[in-house]
Amino acid sequence: MSLPESLERAASELGGLADQIRPANGDPHRLLDELNTEQAGQLLAWILQEEPDAAGELISVWGDAEAGAAILLAVPDEGIPKAGRKLLRKARHRLRSQGIEVTPPEPPSKTTRRVTGARDRWQVAHLSTPDFRGARVGYLVDSHPAGGARLFEIRFDEARGILDFKLYNAGRTRVRGFLKSLTEGSGQRLFEVERDPLRALVRRASLAQPIDRPLPTSFVEWRTRLFSDELDGQQTPGDLVREALGKSSDGAGSSEGLDTTLAEIREGQLGPWPPRTDWVSDWMTKGREATEGLEGQARGSAIDSWLEQVTESLLKETDPELLSRHLDELAWIRWQSGAESGARDLLAVSESLSSDDEVVRQLNRARTEGLFSAFLAELNVVEQSALDPANADSKS
């Protein structure tokens, strides 16, 4: 049986605890809120005896909470079968190896019922790395009044607004497992962030929502509670890293940092934040038309001229302030990853965008080359093919 199913069986057989077990809705954390120490020990002993296969999850979660650890250390072994005792001993060994020796608190009086307080409220926030267009996913987690947790999944883009907004209700263990799978290992895609900076970032994106694409209905329903105008002026993650790291000292390394940033954009490691899908396809069509029938130096000159035109068009389509914010938010990701030097480089380039037109031009040229790198390779393959001696022989 799963843990929720085992807990429902426990509620049926331990009739005196049914009113405390069922409101927890299968969530081990909520159980600690609903049960006093004596009742929790009674439930744990029953699970270990009757449903040892489901006890592992309960023990794992309770071992991470002070009240739960006290119960694990205090519950007697008598009457518990071998499988259950093995789980219990393993959990106790882990707790004691961490130096945890908890003295079980006195059980509350029978007339007292524990109420979830502010300290029991579970709230976390996570933010993803941006994709090549600048879209990101934010996760806000809050305790559910009926037990478990609410998980808000928000996909947003500072240029395109709120792209999607979903709400999931699930047990805390499941939510923790989901977030853990995205925040650990070499493939880390989520970073923990303070709640208000994430909410401020989402609110800022919502204000950019285009008129022809309404905000998602579910976002509108939660906007006043999660993304109200009280967040105006609140720092975003990009603001936090700029406040923490500031300017590169005396501009040292700013030129090298710019070269590194430009190379990363050309290679597709950053951005390149295209304006629109149709803008990209239109310029690819123009590129094919500009080089059609040309070979050798004439074709190369046509490609260079086309690149200049695309860069000029991209300059007109670009909001330097938005581009600067993209770099700031990427700097926050690097800061969280421990790459402080790389974060400082991005902040320096971001700051230059407001005062140095040449930096703006270089950045947009790099964006053009990164955005159309595959297409440029296609154009160059045609050129090389036309000049290949083998092709010339076959034609003759």
Side-chain angles (χ1 to χ4, degrees):
M1 284 189 182
S2 66
L3 179 59
E5 291 172 324
S6 298
L7 290 173
E8 177 55 35
R9 183 188 163 199
S12 300
E13 298 194 15
L14 301 174
L17 301 183
D19 290 342
Q20 285 74 41
I21 294 174
R22 288 195 171 112
N25 198 29
D27 181 7
H29 291 276
R30 185 66 185 277
L31 282 170
L32 291 175
D33 296 331
E34 298 291 338
L35 300 166
N36 63 37
T37 303
E38 182 180 357
Q39 292 169 336
Q42 183 182 354
L43 173 61
L44 177 59
W46 186 93
I47 291 285
L48 288 167
Q49 183 174 351
E50 301 293 334
E51 298 283 354
D53 290 342
E57 181 180 354
L58 184 67
I59 289 175
S60 175
V61 174
W62 281 12
D64 291 333
E66 183 178 350
I71 295 161
L72 294 179
L73 292 169
V75 68
D77 291 357
E78 289 79 13
I80 297 175
K82 183 177 179 179
R85 289 200 309 274
K86 185 176 180 181
L87 287 171
L88 196 56
R89 287 169 183 169
K90 184 177 179 181
R92 288 170 173 171
H93 175 74
R94 181 173 64 87
L95 291 171
R96 288 175 176 138
S97 67
Q98 296 171 354
I100 300 175
E101 292 284 354
V102 182
T103 302
E106 291 294 324
S109 65
K110 294 182 179 180
T111 58
T112 302
R113 181 186 174 94
R114 294 182 64 193
V115 179
T116 303
R119 65 180 180 82
D120 297 314
R121 190 174 185 181
W122 183 40
Q123 289 187 323
V124 292
H126 290 79
L127 181 60
S128 78
T129 56
D131 68 10
F132 78 104
R133 294 197 66 175
R136 308 176 79 175
V137 179
Y139 291 97
L140 288 169
V141 180
D142 204 347
S143 300
H144 195 294
R150 287 190 179 114
L151 174 68
F152 297 91
E153 182 183 72
I154 314 112
R155 193 162 68 90
F156 65 96
D157 184 321
E158 286 202 63
R160 295 179 290 156
I162 307 301
L163 307 176
D164 198 10
F165 185 89
K166 294 178 180 177
L167 169 60
Y168 302 94
N169 296 318
R172 293 189 183 188
T173 300
R174 180 171 295 181
V175 173
R176 279 192 175 91
F178 169 72
L179 295 175
K180 184 178 180 180
S181 69
L182 298 176
T183 55
E184 295 187 353
S186 58
Q188 181 176 7
R189 288 178 288 168
L190 286 185
F191 294 83
E192 190 165 1
V193 64
E194 294 179 39
R195 187 178 177 86
D196 285 348
L198 173 56
R199 292 167 60 216
L201 188 61
V202 172
R203 173 172 169 76
R204 191 164 73 185
S206 72
L207 298 177
Q209 194 76 13
I211 297 175
D212 60 349
R213 182 165 49 79
L215 288 163
T217 302
S218 52
F219 178 86
V220 175
E221 292 173 355
W222 285 92
R223 179 170 50 182
T224 56
R225 281 175 280 183
L226 293 176
F227 312 106
S228 69
D229 56 11
E230 294 179 356
L231 292 168
D232 290 344
Q234 166 66 48
Q235 291 180 312
T236 68
D239 297 327
L240 293 176
V241 67
R242 180 165 291 283
E243 181 180 71
L245 301 184
K247 301 179 182 179
S248 298
S249 57
D250 301 325
S254 57
S255 177
E256 182 180 346
L258 174 60
D259 290 342
T260 300
T261 300
L262 295 177
E264 289 175 330
I265 292 174
R266 291 190 189 99
E267 294 166 5
Q269 298 175 30
L270 295 178
W273 313 286
R276 301 177 310 279
T277 302
D278 60 346
W279 181 90
V280 175
S281 60
D282 286 347
W283 275 106
M284 289 176 67
T285 299
K286 292 176 182 178
R288 292 189 180 95
E289 293 172 349
T291 57
E292 186 176 2
L294 300 179
E295 297 179 3
Q297 185 176 356
R299 188 181 185 87
S301 296
I303 292 174
D304 289 340
S305 176
W306 174 80
L307 277 171
E308 287 294 331
Q309 294 175 43
V310 178
T311 302
E312 287 298 325
S313 175
L314 187 59
L315 276 167
K316 295 176 182 178
E317 294 278 350
T318 296
D319 176 0
E321 183 179 345
L322 175 60
L323 193 57
S324 178
R325 293 204 301 265
H326 280 317
L327 294 175
D328 286 354
E329 294 300 327
L330 282 166
W332 179 83
I333 292 289
R334 290 191 173 177
W335 185 39
Q336 297 303 298
S337 303
E340 184 173 313
S341 176
R344 289 183 183 277
D345 286 345
L346 291 179
L347 292 173
V349 175
S350 169
E351 189 170 346
S352 298
L353 290 176
S354 62
S355 58
D356 193 328
D357 291 341
E358 181 57 28
V359 171
V360 175
R361 176 168 291 278
Q362 289 184 57
L363 200 68
N364 280 284
R365 177 57 183 248
R367 291 173 64 201
T368 300
E369 294 176 8
L371 182 60
F372 292 98
S373 60
F375 180 63
L376 285 168
E378 175 188 326
L379 294 182
N380 284 321
V381 164
V382 173
E383 179 182 5
Q384 293 166 8
S385 175
L387 297 177
D388 191 332
N391 287 343
D393 293 340
S394 65
K395 289 179 181 178
S396 61

